[in-house]
Amino acid sequence: MGPVDLGSPRVVTDCVSGYQQHGSRRVNVTLFNAGGEEAVFLIRSFRMQGDPEPVLEVPVTLGPGRVHQVNGLPIFAAIAESGAPWRPQELAWVTVEATQPFLVYTSTVFIDPEPATLPFQVFPPTRIR
């Protein structure tokens, strides 16, 4: 799913206007195990450019027919900890693999949205096999 907009947490508010003032976004991944057995999901996040290795990997186990939302994935923090160069706006790809049939989507929420703006964005999956 992506490119997922992580916001502009490194931009000084006085230097930008409009939606860039939202700062960072909270990234959530919603998972549904559509299979008849327990599923092991692996959520990975990759930077839009640069290193092809994931910056974050999160395993989740769900029973059959269960839904779970992983809230606040620390993707931006993982990018920052990797020593990556400064970018005014961070974008990432999120991939999900599972051992059972599944449904998934990623959403981002502005931590402190401006009035009269859409406080969230949904990123549907695209099959990449």
Side-chain angles (χ1 to χ4, degrees):
M1 292 154 283
V4 174
D5 186 350
L6 303 178
S8 305
R10 295 182 182 178
V11 173
V12 178
T13 305
D14 296 341
C15 297
V16 296
S17 63
Y19 100 102
Q20 285 184 319
Q21 290 183 0
H22 290 297
S24 63
R25 296 180 179 196
R26 187 178 74 234
V27 179
N28 306 319
V29 175
T30 302
L31 307 166
F32 169 61
N33 177 359
E37 298 178 17
E38 182 176 87
V40 177
F41 291 82
L42 183 57
I43 303 167
R44 290 187 178 116
S45 180
F46 301 83
R47 292 190 78 198
M48 280 293 295
Q49 300 171 341
D51 191 355
E53 294 299 315
V55 294
L56 182 69
E57 292 186 345
V58 177
V60 177
T61 302
L62 280 179
R66 301 291 306 213
V67 174
H68 179 71
Q69 186 174 56
V70 180
N71 290 312
L73 285 173
I75 298 170
F76 186 79
I79 291 171
E81 288 175 13
S82 73
W86 182 88
R87 291 188 183 152
Q89 181 181 24
E90 287 291 347
L91 300 171
W93 285 99
V94 175
T95 65
V96 176
E97 297 176 18
T99 58
Q100 290 288 306
F102 67 100
L103 296 173
V104 63
Y105 68 88
T106 297
S107 58
T108 59
V109 180
F110 287 117
I111 294 169
D112 187 19
E114 292 178 356
T117 61
L118 187 62
F120 65 91
Q121 188 171 2
V122 176
F123 301 88
T126 301
R127 190 175 179 138
I128 59 173
R129 286 189 202 204

